[in-house]
C-alpha cells in the first residue's frame, strides 16, 4: 500500500499556481502493524468472552445443581411420605425450586435479548410491588427493613409482569448483599415528567411522562470506577460463590426492552439509589391478582399434541384432558404427521414442540400448513427465537408459548385460538 499526497505550488510573485508535486509514501508496514493490532484485539476479545462464558457456566451449573438436588430429594421424600400432609409439604418445596429454575432461565434469555415469549399487558406497579414485597421480605435478613411507598394514583405501565418482577428482585438482592450489617431498602413509586431542560443536563434521559421506581439502600455504596461498569455482563464485585455478574446486566436489558431508562447514584459509605423510568400508560390497568385468580378455561375438541419429552407430554395431556379436550399425542415429528394425516378430520388445533426428533417442529408445521392452511397452531419451546437459527420459528398466525409454561397459560392459548372465527 502507498499513500499519495498532492502539493500545489504557487508563484511567489502573483500567487498563481505554477507547479504540482506528488509525495508517495510506502505505508505497508503501518498497515501490517494495524492489521496485527486488530487481530490481537480480536483474539483478546475472544479470550475474554471464553473466560466470561466459563464463569457463567460455572455459576449456572452451581445454581442448577442445587435446584436439582432440592427437586430430586423432595420428590423422593414425597414418594415415601406417610401422610398426605407430609407429601404436600414436599411438593411445595419442589414447586418453589422449579420456580427458581424458571427465573434463572429467564435471566439468561433476557440477558441474550432473545426472549420473545414475553407478553406486554397493562401493569399497575403499585399492585405488582405490593404483591412482590411479601416475597422480597423473605429474601432479606431480619436486620434489613423493606419499606414500600406507593404512588398516590395507579402507576400504570405496559410490560411483562414476570420480567418487571425480575428487575425488582435483582435490585433487592443486590441491595441486600451491599448491607452485610443490616439496613433499609426503600421502594418509592411515583409519576414524573422529564422535559427538554432536564434532558439537556442529563444525557442519559429523554423527554416524556414516566412512572419512576426509586430503589434505595443504606449499604456500602460504590465508587466511580465501579459505577462505570455495573451494567457490564459478567462484571461483579462479589465472590464467585455469590454471583456471576448477570444480575444488573439483566436489569438493564429488561428496562431497555420496556423502552425505559435507568440511572444510578451512589457514594461509598452512604448507599445507592437505582431510578427506573418506565413510560406511563394512560389507560387504566386491570388488577394483576384478578388475572391470576381466573379459573382455568374449559373447552372441547380434539388437539394434536407433539412433544418428545415424556414428562412434559404427560403433563400437557393431563391439563388438556381435565379441561375437556380430547388429546392425540405424538412423541416425534414423523409420528405427529402420521397422526395428523390419519385423524385430520377431527383435529381442531395442534400444540407443537419446536424441537422434535425425526422431523423438526418447523418441518411438521410447514407440512400441516400445506395440507390445511387454516388450522390453528401453538408453538412451544424452551428455546428463544434466536438460539436455534434465524427464521426457525413461523411468523404471523402462530401463537408462541415459552417453556416452562403454566397450565393456565397453555389453556388460555388454546382457548383463544379456538375462539377465533375461521378465516
Amino acid at each position: 500500500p502507498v499513500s499519495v499526497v498532492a502539493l500545489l505550488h504557487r508563484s511567489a510573485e502573483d500567487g498563481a499556481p505554477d507547479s504540482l508535486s506528488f509525495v508517495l509514501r510506502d505505508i505497508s508496514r503501518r498497515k501490517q502493524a494495524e492489521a496485527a493490532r486488530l487481530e490481537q484485539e480480536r483474539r483478546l476479545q475472544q479470550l475474554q468472552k471464553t473466560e466470561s462464558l466459563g464463569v457463567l457456566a460455572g455459576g449456572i451449573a452451581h445454581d442448577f445443581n442445587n435446584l436439582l438436588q432440592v427437586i430430586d430429594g423432595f420428590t423422593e421424600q414425597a414418594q415415601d411420605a406417610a401422610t398426605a400432609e407430609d407429601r404436600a409439604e414436599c411438593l411445595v418445596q419442589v414447586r418453589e425450586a422449579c420456580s427458581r429454575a424458571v427465573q434463572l432461565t429467564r435471566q439468561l434469555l433476557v440477558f441474550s435479548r432473545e426472549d420473545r415469549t414475553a407478553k406486554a399487558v397493562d401493569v399497575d406497579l403499585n399492585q405488582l410491588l405490593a404483591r412482590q414485597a411479601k416475597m422480597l421480605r423473605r429474601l432479606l435478613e431480619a436486620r434489613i427493613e423493606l419499606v414500600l411507598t406507593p404512588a398516590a394514583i395507579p402507576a400504570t405501565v405496559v410490560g411483562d409482569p414476570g420480567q418487571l418482577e425480575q428487575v425488582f428482585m435483582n435490585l433487592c438482592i443486590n441491595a441486600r448483599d451491599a448491607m452485610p450489617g443490616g439496613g433499609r431498602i426503600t421502594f418509592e413509586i411515583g409519576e414524573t415528567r422529564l422535559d427538554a431542560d432536564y434532558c439537556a443536563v442529563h444525557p442519559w434521559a429523554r423527554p416524556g411522562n414516566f412512572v419512576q421506581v426509586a430503589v434505595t439502600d443504606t449499604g456500602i455504596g460504590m465508587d466511580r470506577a465501579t459505577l462505570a461498569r455495573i451494567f457490564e455482563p459478567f462484571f461483579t464485585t462479589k465472590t464467585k460463590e455469590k454471583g456471576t455478574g448477570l444480575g444488573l446486566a439483566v436489569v438493564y436489558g429488561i428496562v431497555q426492552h420496556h423502552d425505559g431508562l435507568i440511572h444510578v447514584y451512589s457514594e461509598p459509605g452512604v448507599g445507592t439509589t437505582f431510578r427506573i423510568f418506565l413510560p406511563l400508560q394512560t389507560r387504566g390497568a386491570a388488577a394483576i391478582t384478578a388475572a391470576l385468580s381466573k379459573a382455568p378455561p374449559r373447552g372441547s375438541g380434539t388437539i394434536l399434541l407433539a412433544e418428545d419429552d415424556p414428562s412434559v407430554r404427560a403433563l400437557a395431556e393431563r391439563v388438556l384432558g381435565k379441561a375437556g379436550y380430547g388429546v392425540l399425542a405424538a412423541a416425534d415429528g414423523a409420528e405427529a404427521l402420521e397422526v395428523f394425516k390419519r385423524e385430520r378430520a377431527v383435529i381442531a388445533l395442534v400444540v407443537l414442540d419446536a424441537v422434535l426428533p425425526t422431523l423438526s417442529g418447523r418441518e411438521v408445521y410447514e407440512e400441516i400448513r400445506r395440507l390445511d392452511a387454516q388450522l390453528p397452531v401453538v408453538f412451544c419451546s424452551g428455546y428463544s427465537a434466536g438460539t436455534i437459527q434465524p427464521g426457525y420459528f413461523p411468523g404471523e398466525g402462530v401463537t408462541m408459548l415459552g417453556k416452562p409454561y403454566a397450565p393456565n397459560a397453555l389453556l388460555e392459548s388454546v382457548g383463544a385460538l379456538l375462539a377465533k372465527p375461521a378465516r
Side-chain angles (χ1 to χ4, degrees):
V2 175
S3 69
V4 180
V5 178
L7 301 174
L8 181 64
H9 302 279
R10 298 181 179 275
S11 169
E13 297 178 358
D14 58 7
D18 63 0
S19 64
L20 183 66
S21 64
F22 295 89
V23 178
L24 280 69
R25 181 178 301 163
D26 183 357
I27 60 170
S28 56
R29 288 187 179 180
R30 192 176 76 188
K31 288 288 186 181
Q32 290 169 359
E34 177 70 10
R37 184 185 64 80
L38 292 175
E39 176 63 17
Q40 185 177 12
E41 287 184 359
R42 186 191 67 79
R43 290 182 179 179
L44 179 59
Q45 289 172 355
Q46 186 65 33
L47 178 61
Q48 290 172 336
K49 183 178 180 180
T50 302
E51 291 175 348
S52 296
L53 289 174
V55 173
L56 172 64
I60 296 302
H62 175 270
D63 291 347
F64 264 114
N65 279 334
N66 285 342
L67 293 172
L68 291 173
Q69 177 69 55
V70 172
I71 292 169
D72 184 61
F74 275 103
T75 300
E76 185 176 334
Q77 291 293 310
Q79 290 174 329
D80 297 336
T83 66
E85 184 179 356
D86 289 344
R87 189 177 304 112
E89 289 180 1
C90 293
L91 292 177
V92 166
Q93 296 294 331
V94 173
R95 285 291 302 274
E96 288 183 356
C98 290
S99 178
R100 293 197 299 273
V102 168
Q103 293 298 329
L104 187 59
T105 304
R106 283 179 178 167
Q107 280 196 18
L108 294 173
L109 291 175
V110 172
F111 168 68
S112 70
R113 299 191 181 183
E114 293 292 351
D115 186 2
R116 303 181 189 180
T117 61
K119 293 183 179 179
V121 296
D122 284 357
V123 181
D124 183 347
L125 293 183
N126 285 335
Q127 292 182 10
L128 183 142
L129 277 166
R131 186 181 73 251
Q132 193 182 12
K134 299 175 183 178
M135 184 272 294
L136 292 177
R137 286 189 174 97
R138 292 199 293 268
L139 292 174
L140 304 176
E141 299 175 2
R143 294 174 296 178
I144 298 177
E145 179 188 10
L146 179 65
V147 178
L148 175 61
T149 305
I153 58 177
T156 309
V157 301
V158 175
D160 177 78
Q163 288 193 358
L164 294 174
E165 287 179 351
Q166 186 71 53
V167 167
F168 303 127
M169 179 184 291
N170 284 5
L171 291 178
C172 194
I173 291 172
N174 238 50
R176 178 199 66 187
D177 294 345
M179 297 184 293
R184 184 175 62 256
I185 302 173
T186 304
F187 284 80
E188 298 175 276
I189 311 168
E191 294 185 8
T192 187
R193 174 170 177 76
L194 304 183
D195 58 21
D197 292 337
Y198 183 91
C199 297
V201 294
H202 297 87
W204 54 269
R206 73 170 187 274
N209 296 318
F210 297 89
V211 174
Q212 177 187 204
V213 181
V215 185
T216 303
D217 66 62
T218 57
I220 58 177
M222 294 177 280
D223 57 26
R224 291 183 180 274
T226 302
L227 273 175
R229 300 189 61 192
I230 57 171
F231 295 123
E232 290 181 14
F234 312 115
F235 173 74
T236 179
T237 57
K238 303 175 185 178
T239 62
K240 290 182 180 179
E241 292 75 22
K242 291 224 170 179
T244 59
L246 271 180
L248 290 179
V250 167
V251 167
Y252 185 84
I254 293 175
V255 172
Q256 290 290 305
H257 177 72
H258 284 75
D259 199 27
L261 306 166
I262 185 167
H263 183 255
V264 191
Y265 179 80
S266 186
E267 292 286 348
V270 177
T272 300
T273 296
F274 285 84
R275 295 188 182 276
I276 295 169
F277 301 82
L278 298 172
L280 175 66
Q281 172 60 268
T282 55
R283 291 182 287 126
I288 299 172
T289 50
L292 292 176
S293 62
K294 288 191 304 183
R298 294 186 59 81
S300 60
T302 301
I303 294 175
L304 170 59
L305 169 67
E307 170 60 61
D308 62 311
D309 187 293
S311 299
V312 176
R313 187 169 63 250
L315 176 62
E317 282 189 82
R318 177 183 174 86
V319 169
L320 292 168
K322 287 182 67 176
Y325 297 101
V327 182
L328 301 172
D332 59 47
E335 184 183 1
L337 266 185
E338 180 183 341
V339 173
F340 176 77
K341 291 176 180 178
R342 186 177 68 243
E343 306 290 344
R344 177 177 166 186
V346 300
I347 293 173
L349 179 142
V350 177
V351 177
L352 187 62
D353 189 30
V355 180
L356 291 168
T358 65
L359 290 174
S360 71
R362 180 61 184 262
E363 290 172 319
V364 175
Y365 168 80
E366 289 177 346
E367 182 63 17
I368 288 175
R369 274 287 174 264
R370 188 182 67 81
L371 297 171
D372 188 337
Q374 305 300 321
L375 189 69
V377 176
V378 176
F379 235 71
C380 305
S381 181
Y383 292 96
S384 63
T387 56
I388 302 178
Q389 63 187 49
Y392 183 89
F393 288 104
E396 187 179 355
V398 175
T399 294
M400 287 292 303
L401 185 61
K403 290 181 179 178
Y405 50 75
N408 274 19
L410 173 62
L411 294 177
E412 287 170 2
S413 296
V414 168
L417 283 176
L418 291 178
K420 288 182 178 180
R423 289 177 291 176

